[in-house]
Amino acid sequence: MKGNYRMKSQEKQMADRIILTGDRPTGPLHLGHYVGSLRGRVGLQHQHKQFIMIADAQALTDNAENPEKVRKNILEVALDYLAVGIDPTITTIFIQSLVPELAELTMYYLNLVTVARLQRNPTIKEEIIQRGFESSIPAGFLMYPVSQAADITAFKADLVPVGDDQLPMIEQTNEIVRSFNRIYNCSVLVEPKALLSSVPRLPGTDGKGKMSKSLGNVISLCDSVADVTKKIKTMYTDPKHLRVEDSGNVEGNPVFAYLDAFDPDKVALEAMKDHYKRGGLGDVVVKKRLLEVLLAELNPIRAHREQFAKDPAQVMRILKEGTEVARKVASQTLKEVRKAMKIDYF
Ligand code: TRP
């Protein structure tokens, strides 16, 4: 199994859980997605019932004026899933907006959440600043954590493999679940747990914060060998490590953060870190190792992707079939929700 999760020792007890996770289709997926969640899902799909959602409706909450971008990236994200080894015969892959039950659930959950609580969500707060929404926040954007609660609970998911930026969403989902079950005196909704990657979040190639497409500091899963080579060559390292003989900093150095995430030879990596800290090891050598390790991981993914990309109609069929399955599950939950809320009239 490729994924490495903190909860590994508990995994036996956790067999046959329901997993739901998703990604916004705003661009091809990158190494940050891969390390944070994607890599783990490949292993998880064999032990649990896994649903993976392409969150187009959520992507539209801050891309209302870019529907083309969202549409185009549905296929890109689906190709990334298939390329890394998500198997559509055991994982249900679906498109969020084509499961309208999720929108209806969102509508009911919104009554259980205050505007003040939404404004306190730390991820939303950060994203509002990043997107320059301070003076006018789209209402749909502010409430997307509620829609995310609908995504998770519609499938009665108990595990959500995500990056740590999504923890506030899980927390908010749990508050909604507890309110709902209490107010409607039922146990229809299930409280989910986050499943965090054991590898810390990857910094961008510029060493500034997280990898993010809008910051232009990403290595995408579908980048060509030439692109990856160029990005690593120009990657930020320790700015004080000017000459080979200088001692260098490993902390806060993205080259080493990536090696930590990808180099399978941990012993050699520790030796390399010591050498770098002592001085006498140049960035060129360290970057050469990183390139080698990364290409070993990315080359097969790219080859798979090219294979699937030859038949986009087949990929869209996979999404259509997955969406049909997802809709059945979500509409069953919605039925129970409506009954608990006493709005099951006929
Ligand atoms: N917010 C997630 C992201 O930006 C995507 C997402 C939407 C999601 N709905 C979800 C993740 C439900 C987990 C569960 O990556």
Side-chain angles (χ1 to χ4, degrees):
M1 189 179 111
K2 268 192 179 169
N4 29 15
Y5 279 102
R6 244 177 238 161
M7 294 171 91
K8 204 160 204 169
S9 59
Q10 296 169 29
E11 238 165 47
K12 279 243 157 31
Q13 288 160 260
M14 299 197 309
D16 303 324
R17 295 301 187 88
I18 300 173
I19 295 184
L20 177 118
T21 183
D23 302 279
R24 298 179 196 184
T26 50
L29 301 181
H30 53 66
L31 287 184
H33 295 113
Y34 187 62
V35 168
S37 162
L38 213 46
R39 182 161 67 166
R41 299 180 201 169
V42 179
L44 289 167
Q45 68 185 343
H46 298 291
Q47 292 146 319
H48 309 281
K49 178 67 210 127
Q50 182 166 251
F51 295 89
I52 302 187
M53 181 183 75
I54 305 185
D56 62 338
Q58 187 176 111
L60 286 166
T61 64
D62 62 344
N63 283 284
E65 284 151 36
N66 282 313
E68 276 309 322
K69 170 168 133 189
V70 173
R71 185 190 173 106
K72 184 180 120 240
N73 282 302
I74 297 256
L75 181 65
E76 298 302 318
V77 170
L79 284 172
D80 286 330
Y81 290 161
L82 298 170
V84 299
I86 306 268
D87 175 353
T89 66
I90 48 177
T91 290
T92 301
I93 309 175
F94 69 98
I95 300 179
Q96 185 183 30
S97 69
L98 293 179
V99 183
E101 287 78 7
L102 299 176
E104 189 174 335
L105 280 177
T106 304
M107 186 84 186
Y108 303 142
Y109 294 172
L110 277 169
N111 300 329
L112 309 177
V113 178
T114 65
V115 172
R117 174 64 183 92
L118 288 166
Q119 286 169 328
R120 270 202 307 274
N121 182 310
T123 299
I124 294 287
K125 267 188 175 164
E126 199 183 308
E127 289 177 343
I128 285 173
I129 296 167
Q130 270 171 12
R131 288 161 177 70
F133 283 163
E134 290 102 322
S135 56
S136 63
I137 310 170
F141 182 79
L142 185 65
M143 66 99 212
Y144 90 70
V146 180
S147 132
Q148 197 156 327
D151 303 335
I152 296 168
T153 55
F155 297 89
K156 304 200 177 181
D158 37 20
L159 292 178
V160 186
V162 282
D164 57 3
D165 61 321
Q166 296 295 304
L167 288 177
M169 307 304 171
I170 312 285
E171 197 180 312
Q172 219 170 348
T173 298
N174 282 324
E175 288 172 23
I176 292 171
V177 168
R178 287 194 290 268
S179 299
F180 187 95
N181 288 346
R182 178 176 47 78
I183 293 168
Y184 301 112
N185 194 22
C186 65
S187 51
V188 170
L189 301 185
V190 175
E191 285 188 50
K193 278 199 180 66
L195 200 50
L196 286 179
S197 167
S198 58
V199 182
R201 188 199 288 187
L202 279 194
T205 52
D206 55 0
K208 284 187 209 140
K210 70 172 179 178
M211 235 187 219
S212 149
K213 188 154 186 282
S214 51
L215 299 175
N217 61 2
V218 307
I219 295 178
S220 296
L221 292 175
C222 57
D223 276 352
S224 66
V225 175
D227 282 342
V228 179
T229 308
K230 197 170 89 200
K231 287 179 185 178
I232 290 182
K233 250 191 199 137
T234 55
M235 197 165 161
Y236 179 88
T237 62
D238 173 6
K240 294 200 185 98
H241 186 243
L242 294 173
R243 285 161 306 175
V244 174
E245 56 279 18
D246 292 344
S247 68
N249 239 326
V250 166
E251 305 313 319
N253 187 332
V255 179
F256 284 100
Y258 289 24
L259 280 168
D260 275 332
F262 291 103
D263 195 334
D265 190 345
K266 300 294 173 214
V267 177
L269 176 57
E270 284 314 307
M272 200 153 83
K273 284 183 186 171
D274 286 341
H275 193 178
Y276 193 81
K277 286 192 250 181
R278 261 196 332 267
L281 184 62
D283 282 334
V284 175
V285 178
V286 186
K287 286 183 169 184
K288 187 166 164 266
R289 173 66 186 160
L290 177 58
L291 183 62
E292 179 182 38
V293 165
L294 266 190
L295 289 181
E297 191 100 9
L298 291 177
N299 287 347
I301 295 177
R302 193 180 324 97
H304 274 136
R305 200 181 197 281
E306 280 162 14
Q307 217 42 45
F308 287 112
K310 282 186 189 149
D311 193 356
Q314 168 63 7
V315 179
M316 294 314 279
R317 262 196 306 278
I318 289 172
L319 296 182
K320 185 157 184 273
E321 281 165 21
T323 301
E324 279 159 16
V325 172
R327 230 189 136 175
K328 281 206 187 93
V329 179
S331 64
Q332 176 56 36
T333 304
L334 185 59
K335 222 188 225 162
E336 294 167 29
V337 161
R338 296 188 62 117
K339 183 156 185 270
M341 294 176 71
K342 304 192 192 308
I343 55 172
D344 57 332
Y345 305 113
F346 308 113

